[in-house]
Amino acid sequence: MPLGPTRPTTVLRAVVPPEPERVWPFPIRTALLGMAGMVLIAGGGMGAGATLIHDPLLANGAFNWIRYGHGMMLATWMLYVGLGLAIWAWIRLGRHARAGRVNHAYMIRVIVMWIAPLLVAPPLFSKDVYSYLAQGDLALHGLDPYAVGPSALPNALSDNVSIVWQNTPSPYGPLFVLLAKGIVAITGDGLTSLISGVILMRLVLAVGFAALWWALPRLADRLGGNSSIALWLVGANPLLVVHLIGGAHNDMLMIGMMAAAVVLVLDRRHVAGIALLALAFSVKATAAIALPFLIWVWMTHIPNATRRYRFVKASFTAVGVFGGVFVLCTLIAGVDLGWIPALSGSSIVINWLSLPSGIGQAVYTVVNWVHPWGDATPFITVCRTVGTLLLLYILVKQWWLARDGGNDAVRRAALGMAAFALLAPVTLPWYFSWALVLGAGFAWSTAGLTLAACGSVWLLLITYPSGGTALYDWGYLVVILGVSVLAAVSLLKPDPLNLSLRIVRDAPEKALRHHQ
């Protein structure tokens, strides 16, 4: 037994340094592969894209041949080879993202490399940008773009607008008309300035892409997803890069602001989020679909009150902020509400990508076999009416099921956007990006990513580079369906056709025959 106080026993423990975080190399080969594809797309677009009727750069230059005959055929092949490389690179990048080999900072660098060539390319897969500029020109010259179409002001801008939209008033919000007006005020409405107008419009729309880069990692963090996969699924997706940047669609600006608005509301910055959503609505009306769902999110953030009081407070405040910002945009733009009835003008576009329109066409075809019927319009109108009623039912049901707010409200808003793209009277391929943006931040299953990859590639390719639809070219549709399935399978298996194995296996036989 010890006679004095004992000293505490000192236990020596080895200090194990923390394992350094593994740093993956930048996927330079994949990045360069995609960039090469985009360069070829931009180059091929000079002859095969939605080119100007009288191109001042090519008309009297050494490359004028690329717009006609064999030159145009060569440009088309160049563009499609570029699409193939872009799809290949996107799938490779997806494998990197799924394996955790790239973080979202690397992903953004890759995306910047990919979109850069398209910023100076001719309009691709659509002539809508000419309509945007022509509508801005109308406003600049004191005409009401919500009352008249581009043909009311004949010039180089209106000459290049698609014949479908020559007499159609603008269906876009006051903020976008103001932006288009400002662009034309800077670049002018002459033939040469039209090219700079297209480039400046792309730079303005690229602000929406920057908003996506900011929002998607944050959405993934709040919704339980993976930031790299979210950026891959949306930011690097050729459907968005080629159609929304190459095609210069204002959807790019709308979805970027909408995604950022959702992040702000989830972060309890409700007024700022709703105000930003109102700006998105002032570009394109579709953004309004998200408003009722975000009211539920806001409501759940209000503490210590009854459910009814929280709902009323969130609803009145959100609608007040939304309406106030929209009215302010309208007053600054100097326009009225004529764009809302003008939304119906797009119904002149009929294709079966809109489920109601497709069913109406199919019913007409069957009836016409039995009894000749001169016009498909009655069948399409009835089916579109039923589709609109079904869409309203789905939106209301999803909204009501989202009443607990939180992440589920965002998920159901994405489902509502998807239903709108399917059931609206008019559907264009890039409309499906609306739902993809809201859903990208969630955790995706392997099957979900595979289907999204397949659908994205298919939607990318169903439009011809000049802007015409390929939805009635059935042989072409079969080919691109095969390409889409191959791309989706390649996301899971790098070489689904075992081409590399065949090359390795056949090499010794070829070498032996050559030696003999």
Side-chain angles (χ1 to χ4, degrees), residues 33-251:
L33 179 67
M35 187 175 182
M38 297 303 174
V39 169
L40 288 175
I41 292 171
M46 294 175 64
T51 55
L52 296 171
I53 296 175
H54 302 290
D55 193 321
L57 294 182
L58 297 179
N60 301 313
F63 291 96
N64 187 42
W65 56 272
I66 202 172
R67 299 184 60 198
Y68 307 100
H70 291 90
M72 185 176 179
M73 186 180 299
L74 177 63
T76 303
W77 276 103
M78 182 188 302
L79 189 147
Y80 274 100
V81 169
L83 286 173
L85 294 180
I87 294 168
W88 183 12
W90 181 59
I91 295 298
R92 283 173 57 114
L93 190 62
R95 292 200 295 265
H96 285 302
R98 293 185 67 240
R101 291 194 288 266
V102 289
N103 59 24
H104 66 264
Y106 279 5
M107 193 70 71
I108 290 174
R109 294 175 201 169
V110 174
I111 297 170
V112 171
M113 290 177 63
W114 289 3
I115 70 170
L118 298 184
L119 292 175
V120 294
L124 300 166
F125 296 90
S126 173
K127 294 184 176 182
D128 283 1
V129 66
Y130 301 136
S131 296
Y132 301 161
L133 295 172
Q135 290 156 5
D137 194 35
L138 290 172
L140 185 65
H141 285 83
L143 299 174
D144 185 0
Y146 298 153
V148 297
S151 63
L153 188 63
N155 56 24
L157 284 174
S158 59
D159 286 347
N160 286 279
V161 175
S162 171
I163 188 64
V164 177
W165 309 119
Q166 282 286 350
N167 299 298
T168 305
S170 173
Y172 306 117
L175 177 58
F176 188 70
V177 168
L178 185 63
L179 291 173
K181 178 181 177 181
I183 290 171
V184 177
I186 294 172
T187 62
D189 58 4
L191 192 57
T192 304
S193 58
L194 183 54
I195 297 174
S196 57
V198 170
I199 295 174
L200 186 54
M201 177 64 76
R202 280 207 183 98
L203 293 175
V204 170
L205 298 180
V207 173
F209 231 133
L212 275 182
W213 300 339
W214 179 86
L216 287 172
R218 290 165 175 81
L219 279 177
D221 180 62
R222 288 147 185 79
L223 301 176
N226 180 293
S227 59
S228 296
I229 288 179
L231 281 165
W232 170 78
L233 190 59
V234 175
N237 193 325
L239 174 64
L240 277 81
V241 173
V242 174
H243 276 298
L244 297 190
I245 292 295
H249 289 289
N250 58 8
D251 301 69

Side-chain angles (χ1 to χ4, degrees), residues 355-356 384-396 419 423:
L355 198 56
R384 282 179 168 179
T385 302
V386 174
T388 300
L389 294 175
L390 178 59
L391 174 60
L392 290 174
Y393 168 76
I394 292 173
L395 289 175
V396 171
L423 296 174

Side-chain angles (χ1 to χ4, degrees), residues 430-452:
W430 52 92
Y431 286 9
F432 292 92
S433 65
W434 307 336
L436 203 58
V437 165
L438 292 182
F442 289 95
W444 283 68
S445 65
T446 299
L449 286 177
T450 305
L451 287 174

Side-chain angles (χ1 to χ4, degrees), residues 350-363:
I350 300 174
N351 64 54
W352 61 263
L353 203 58
S354 160
L355 198 56
S357 299
I359 293 174
Q361 288 180 304
V363 172

